[in-house]
Amino acid sequence: MTGGFEAAADAVTGSLLGGNPVAVNGGATLGGSGLITSAVNVSSNATLAAGNTSIGALTVNNTLTFATGATNFVRLNKSTGTNDSVAGLTQ
């Protein structure tokens, strides 16, 4: 990939701004509780995990695409009724 961001095992805490797509490649995990303004593409065998080590929200102000075989990892807290989330999607 040229000019984009490739996730191996990264967390966004803050902002990842730019027009090039974010590619989460197979075997990699992208997590965090920040803002991404580019399209996010989660490949087969890759994971999107909003939040960090605790429940949180990852904002994607663009499109989010999961390939067949990709995983969306979500933490749940039954006692507080909270969970990880992805917000801000355009499609």
Side-chain angles (χ1 to χ4, degrees):
M1 185 168 108
T2 304
F5 175 84
E6 293 187 48
D10 292 311
V12 177
T13 304
S15 299
L16 181 59
L17 309 174
N20 293 319
V22 174
V24 187
N25 297 322
T29 298
L30 175 64
S33 56
L35 168 67
I36 301 173
T37 61
S38 301
V40 176
N41 301 305
V42 185
S43 301
S44 180
N45 257 355
T47 302
L48 180 72
N52 291 309
T53 57
S54 60
I55 291 175
L58 179 64
T59 302
V60 178
N61 282 346
N62 208 306
T63 58
L64 173 60
T65 304
F66 287 91
T68 300
T71 300
N72 183 27
F73 180 82
V74 178
R75 289 172 198 81
L76 305 171
N77 185 326
K78 287 175 39 176
S79 63
T80 62
T82 57
N83 59 272
D84 289 328
S85 64
V86 179
L89 301 174
T90 60
Q91 290 186 6

